[in-house]
Amino acid sequence: MTRFRVLVADDEAPARAKVKRLLADDARFVLEGEASDGTETLNRVVALRPDLLVLDVQMPGLTGFEVLEALGPEHCPAVIFSTAYDAFAVAAFEAQAVDYLLKPYDAERFGRALERAYTVLQSGLPETARLQALLSDLGRAEPRRPLERLVVKVGEAFVPLPLADVWRLSSEDKYVRLYTAQGEHLVRQTLRGLEERLDPTRFVRVHRGDIVNLDAVARLEPWTHGDGILVLEDGSSVVLSRTWREAFLQRWGLEG
């Protein structure tokens, strides 16, 4: 009999212990590991490649949703959510996740979730479409707050990068390069997609391929044909295109 490997992610030790105890009663699954926050979850999924992830939604470091976004649907295992979220999220979980566990749950409810997971895993069909639809549904169901951090890879590990530390974002094909005092990072996202989720009081587009953190702008120098040069606090510079000049000046505190 095939035994599927499970990773349990929850910031509460009693909750992890409960899942481990209930898993031990089902010979079809074997505990591969556990994680107590979002960043550890992300790194353990990458290292262990579990078949199934029992994932708490609200964790420190990264939320469960941020873990899935950082992994990308093509690299995610099957997911059972463990959550105290309200009805709108439950509806999304029912439609797209393998299953959800609404805390507090009992052994019978956990058993039904494992049964559904086993059916999905036995089918051998990829979960990519299901997880992509889940993230899309959640984005429509809940107005997103501005991003506070992005996940970047440092060596072999994933770490959260506070956006307050990012002074410039530049488009590079299907990637975005992030400039910080600690160095540069590439994330596999589009500049347009990130722009929609950035805090508009802090970040502003200044060129077709560049967004800057307003707090990082040291001065504006005139250039040619209505364009300008923004000198950042680190001494680097970026072109302020006349297309975005007025919006930048207004957000920076000047009239166009």
Side-chain angles (χ1 to χ4, degrees), residues 23-39:
L23 273 174
D25 295 332
D26 195 320
R28 298 171 299 178
F29 297 90
V30 59
L31 180 67
E32 185 73 7
E34 57 184 287
S36 60
D37 61 50
T39 305

Side-chain angles (χ1 to χ4, degrees), residues 197-240:
R197 301 179 61 195
L198 294 174
D199 184 348
T201 67
R202 170 171 283 168
F203 292 93
V204 60
R205 186 182 284 265
V206 297
H207 190 271
R208 182 177 61 184
D210 290 288
I211 293 172
V212 298
N213 186 331
L214 290 167
D215 293 336
V217 178
R219 65 181 184 275
L220 168 62
E221 298 178 350
W223 198 27
T224 60
H225 306 295
D227 293 341
I229 295 292
L230 296 174
V231 180
L232 305 184
E233 292 288 352
D234 71 324
S236 64
S237 62
V238 59
V239 173
L240 171 61

